[in-house]
Amino acid sequence: MVAVLAFLAPVVAHAAEPDPGQCAPTPFPLRAGGTLATTLCTPAGGDTDTVMVLMPGSNYNGTYWDFPHAPEIYNFRRAMNAAGYATLVVDRLGTGASSRPASTGVTATGDAQALHEIIGALRTGLAGARPFGKVVTGGHSLSSGVAVLEATTHHDVDGVLLTGYSHGLNIAGALGIIGTYQPAEQDAAFAGGGYDSGYLTTWPGTREKSFHSPATADPEVVAVDEATKDVFAATEYPDGLTSTLPPMSTQITAPVLVVNGSDDVLCSRVCADTTTLQAAEAPHFSQAARLRTFVLPGSGHSVNLARNTADYQAAVRDWMESIAG
């Protein structure tokens, strides 16, 4: 009984934490057809002119930014709401509660166009909400590439947060992760869900090694990550990866923060520490980007889910303060 109570105690504490955001599902129809599932959260008891649009990477849905386990630690959306910023968490096409078109119709370029439409709607008043004067995009991994594509095409954002992104891709690490992919229709978690063979997901039990640091990861976080995993379309990768090729990112004219984990298997030695990452990434951005970087020690690819993710959240808050004034 004592062991059971010890296990439940932190769960009860987590449940008692008040949500710092007032949230409402906000389905977003796309001009090309289909609907994105989005959730707009505004700071409870406060007003803000700044919103962060948070899009997850491949193998994830919006749960990555709005993580249900130990939210006072791992929930990035709540951390930003508590800091006084509104957030819009987005499920990419084919994931979460968004529309699921044929996989061949889903590309990073299409994701970027959808992001552009969302940004415009937020500036004019999304679903009856007040218009936002400042819009910052936040991407992870694949969706960081989407954010780069959007920012370089439309120049309509006030800041770009790129996590799990660098120009120093570790090819061996990338091939190792690709080797864990299988058609979603062959995974029991998605069987019978109407996924065609172009939608892929990770093999069960592979996410800890791919996206976390096995030496430091919280086993409960890894378990929830496995339970809430999602799919991606193979056709999102080719144009998404072009965002890491020079000179595309030099065309971004808004402030940029690049964040990586020091143990990210997708990143080469440039992710060893913040100073090394800053030196490696600086040539790939213009002066207008006012580039900042941050490396979270001991974190794998999914920095939102590292035990010390609070340090990364603090770095984002500091950067946001520098651009949201």
Side-chain angles (χ1 to χ4, degrees):
M1 176 62 74
V2 173
V4 172
L5 290 176
F7 174 78
L8 290 178
V11 176
V12 173
H14 299 163
E17 290 282 338
D19 193 328
Q22 298 174 332
C23 302
T26 312
F28 187 82
L30 298 172
R31 294 171 193 164
T35 301
L36 291 180
T38 73
T39 301
L40 179 64
C41 299
T42 55
D47 196 10
T48 180
D49 191 45
T50 302
V51 61
M52 302 181 73
V53 185
L54 305 174
M55 185 176 283
S58 63
N59 300 290
Y60 283 101
N61 52 43
T63 299
Y64 177 72
W65 295 104
D66 201 355
F67 203 66
H69 174 71
E72 76 286 356
I73 299 173
Y74 299 106
N75 192 300
F76 183 92
R77 186 274 298 172
R78 288 194 182 203
M80 293 304 107
N81 291 159
Y85 304 111
T87 56
L88 185 79
V89 174
V90 181
D91 286 340
R92 296 181 348 274
L93 276 177
T95 72
S98 291
S99 298
R100 189 181 308 143
S103 61
T104 53
V106 183
T107 64
T109 301
D111 294 337
Q113 175 60 31
L115 183 57
H116 171 60
E117 293 175 24
I118 288 172
I119 291 165
L122 287 166
R123 291 196 184 279
T124 58
L126 175 66
R130 59 154 292 175
F132 291 96
K134 290 184 180 293
V135 181
V136 175
T137 52
H140 173 63
S141 197
L142 171 64
S143 61
S144 286
V146 171
V148 171
L149 290 170
E150 198 286 330
T152 57
T153 302
H154 301 287
H155 302 282
D156 58 353
V157 292
D158 300 284
V160 184
L161 168 64
L162 304 174
T163 72
Y165 170 96
S166 79
H167 291 82
L169 181 66
N170 180 357
I171 301 299
L175 291 175
I177 291 178
I178 291 171
T180 71
Y181 293 160
Q182 66 170 332
E185 61 187 358
Q186 297 178 12
D187 191 307
F190 303 103
Y195 295 90
D196 65 52
S197 59
Y199 280 111
L200 307 178
T201 191
T202 53
W203 280 98
T206 61
R207 297 173 76 86
E208 180 178 37
K209 183 177 179 181
S210 295
F211 304 137
H212 303 264
S213 175
T216 61
D218 180 339
E220 292 184 64
V221 168
V222 174
V224 174
D225 186 9
E226 286 277 359
T228 58
K229 71 178 183 179
D230 216 305
V231 305
F232 68 97
T235 44
E236 290 178 282
Y237 270 22
D239 53 340
L241 286 172
T242 63
S243 68
T244 63
L245 300 177
M248 182 179 292
S249 57
T250 61
Q251 301 169 36
I252 299 178
T253 54
V256 174
L257 173 62
V258 176
V259 177
N260 285 288
S262 67
D263 295 348
D264 186 349
V265 298
L266 283 171
C267 193
S268 65
R269 289 175 292 178
V270 302
C271 290
D273 53 55
T274 298
T275 301
T276 304
L277 184 63
Q278 180 75 29
E281 288 296 313
H284 299 290
F285 293 90
S286 70
Q287 288 187 346
R290 293 155 45 191
L291 178 68
R292 287 195 191 185
T293 63
F294 180 77
V295 171
L296 184 62
S299 171
H301 186 60
S302 295
V303 289
N304 281 11
L305 307 183
R307 286 183 187 268
N308 57 340
T309 191
D311 295 337
Y312 143 65
Q313 294 169 2
V316 175
R317 287 195 299 270
D318 182 67
W319 175 71
M320 287 291 292
E321 288 172 7
S322 75
I323 66 175

